[in-house]
Amino acid sequence: MEKAKISASQLFILMVLFELGTTLLLPIAMDAKQDSWLAILLGTVFSFVLFLVYNKLYSYYPDILPTEYMQKILGKALGSVLAFLYIFYFIYNVARVLRDIGEMLLTFAYPDTPLFIANALLILVIIYTVRKGIEVIARSGEIFFIIMYILAITGFILIVCSGLIDITNLQPVLEEGIFPPLKVVFTQILYFPFTEAIVFTMILPYLKNPKKAKVTMLCASGLAGINLTIAMLINISVLGVDLTERSQFPLLSTIQSIQVADFLERLDVFFMIALVTGGFFKISVLLYAAVIGTANLFKIKSSSRLSYPIGLMILFMSITISSNFQEHLHEGLEIEMFVLYIPLSAIIPLLLLLVAFLKNRKKQRG
């Protein structure tokens, strides 16, 4: 492990930036139609349960990484296989997020630029940041967190001043009852974006005050959920359900609609800065977790040496992961959700907690 420490406030900021990340980019929870905002809100509440599971595991093993305590819980052989599976999950997730950001940049501003070039420029900067360590990532987050919220508040004010919001687009509420939003919660929202934050179990051992971990994680998830709910409310009230569902990047379409006093318009740059900022920190945290996890599992003393080979592997994965963006979205929302997110974010942590609880109970009795 790197000899570094971060504060609870820095962990909070990183988690909020991480969970917003590319989630603002995509039309999530649209299976619930005009109630998608309610599905996001409910998903936020239910995600607290899984965060409590992650925190309890951390409380049993506060000074070691999950890649190490998995071996203590399940034995060296099975624990090592599971640790490797999580490292692969982090690497795969980085490749997906990098592809999201690259596609957005090409759509928004660089239509003639190859995807490889856009992704390469971003991943090289992130590799450099990851080599500097978690403290540098956390301090950078403190600066960009303020910038991101200034942009968000300004954008919200401009949307209101433009008179674009039509509340009738949000009606009728719960037209088909509570079941459709709940179905979306347990099949989509609970796992993307909230339990992607399982990656922070790799960051928790660097926390200065372990007692603040639980409150910090719950507050960060709550704030991110409220922000995503507001963003979806705005998207649907401005664009309507059909256009939000069909739009490749709904928030971009919403911001492009802003027009104040016939001169203040084309504010797409707000969207680009916010999304690149969120994506940067999401990729940085995931890549950092993959690097330190690999170093811990294979007993490599200098984890920073792994940044370039893992980063370059991620770059090529991001290009080859799917042939086009629609296929990329289908893989993420339909296949990856059930193959990776649900088992690794919910089922396995619950089983690990059960075994850890029984082992600690037996140890206390002994």
Side-chain angles (χ1 to χ4, degrees):
M1 279 179 59
E2 178 189 357
K3 292 182 179 179
K5 289 294 179 182
I6 62 173
S7 66
S9 61
Q10 289 174 327
L11 176 65
F12 173 83
I13 287 170
L14 283 179
M15 283 194 69
V16 173
L17 291 174
F18 178 92
E19 292 193 359
L20 293 178
T22 52
T23 315
L24 291 170
L25 183 68
L26 305 173
I28 60 171
M30 287 312 298
D31 287 349
K33 304 298 181 181
Q34 67 270 18
D35 294 323
S36 58
W37 64 272
L38 181 58
I40 296 171
L41 201 58
L42 290 173
T44 305
V45 176
F46 284 111
S47 71
F48 292 163
V49 177
L50 289 176
F51 279 112
L52 291 174
V53 172
Y54 304 156
N55 179 72
K56 191 64 179 177
L57 277 169
Y58 167 63
S59 69
Y60 284 140
Y61 308 97
D63 300 319
I64 58 177
L65 295 172
T67 48
E68 191 170 343
Y69 69 60
M70 287 175 190
Q71 298 175 50
K72 289 182 176 292
I73 294 173
L74 300 176
K76 189 167 182 63
L78 185 57
S80 297
V81 171
L82 187 59
F84 182 80
L85 184 61
Y86 272 94
I87 292 169
F88 171 77
Y89 167 65
F90 297 148
I91 291 173
Y92 178 76
N93 214 356
V94 176
R96 291 198 59 82
V97 177
L98 184 62
R99 178 65 177 264
D100 288 336
I101 299 298
E103 292 281 0
M104 183 272 292
L105 289 173
L106 266 58
T107 301
F108 166 74
Y110 310 108
D112 298 324
T113 303
L115 180 62
F116 178 84
I117 300 299
N119 287 3
L121 291 174
L122 183 58
I123 197 66
L124 286 173
V125 175
I126 291 170
I127 289 171
Y128 175 79
T129 307
V130 168
R131 282 179 60 86
K132 294 298 179 180
I134 189 62
E135 289 183 350
V136 172
I137 297 172
R139 287 197 296 268
S140 303
E142 289 178 306
I143 298 171
F144 284 97
F145 183 78
I146 298 170
I147 296 172
M148 194 166 179
Y149 269 85
I150 290 173
L151 292 173
I153 293 169
T154 305
F156 177 75
I157 292 171
L158 291 174
I159 289 170
V160 173
C161 292
S162 298
L164 296 171
I165 295 177
D166 183 0
I167 301 298
T168 58
N169 288 332
L170 298 168
Q171 299 171 346
V173 178
L174 296 178
E175 182 181 15
E176 299 178 11
I178 192 66
F179 180 74
L182 281 176
K183 182 181 177 182
V184 171
V185 168
F186 290 106
T187 57
Q188 296 179 24
I189 295 301
L190 188 57
Y191 311 102
F192 176 78
F194 295 109
T195 55
E196 279 187 311
I198 192 174
V199 68
F200 280 93
T201 56
M202 301 289 290
I203 309 297
L204 288 177
Y206 297 107
L207 190 61
K208 287 180 183 176
N209 190 346
K211 293 180 180 179
K212 294 183 178 180
K214 179 169 69 174
V215 174
T216 303
M217 287 194 292
L218 295 180
C219 290
S221 183
L223 179 60
I226 291 170
N227 290 339
L228 292 173
T229 301
I230 292 171
M232 186 54 67
L233 280 167
I234 291 173
N235 285 339
I236 294 175
S237 61
V238 172
L239 303 175
V241 173
D242 291 338
L243 188 54
T244 303
E245 194 171 13
R246 287 187 283 108
S247 178
Q248 193 173 29
F249 305 122
L251 189 58
L252 175 59
S253 301
T254 299
I255 293 174
Q256 285 176 334
S257 303
I258 295 175
Q259 186 174 5
V260 179
D262 295 325
F263 78 93
L264 193 58
E265 55 185 9
R266 298 297 299 172
L267 299 173
D268 313 34
V269 68
F270 275 41
F271 174 85
M272 186 180 75
I273 293 173
L275 264 296
V276 170
T277 300
F280 173 86
F281 285 100
K282 188 167 186 175
I283 294 172
S284 296
V285 170
L286 284 165
L287 179 57
Y288 182 79
V291 167
I292 61 171
T294 304
N296 179 261
L297 182 61
F298 294 102
K299 309 302 180 186
I300 299 171
K301 290 184 178 180
S302 179
S303 60
S304 61
R305 294 178 181 178
L306 298 171
S307 302
Y308 281 107
I310 293 177
L312 292 175
M313 180 175 67
I314 287 166
L315 172 60
F316 286 102
M317 279 182 68
S318 71
I319 304 299
T320 58
I321 206 167
S322 55
S323 57
N324 56 64
F325 192 61
Q326 292 306 317
E327 181 183 326
H328 172 72
L329 289 179
H330 173 73
E331 288 177 2
L333 298 176
E334 301 294 335
I335 300 173
E336 184 191 8
M337 188 70 66
F338 298 98
V339 175
L340 290 178
Y341 281 169
I342 294 177
L344 295 180
S345 299
I347 298 172
I348 292 177
L350 284 168
L351 293 175
L352 287 173
L353 179 60
L354 177 61
V355 177
F357 171 76
L358 294 174
K359 281 195 170 187
N360 278 270
R361 189 178 179 183
K362 184 178 179 180
K363 189 183 295 183
Q364 287 174 355
R365 285 181 177 178

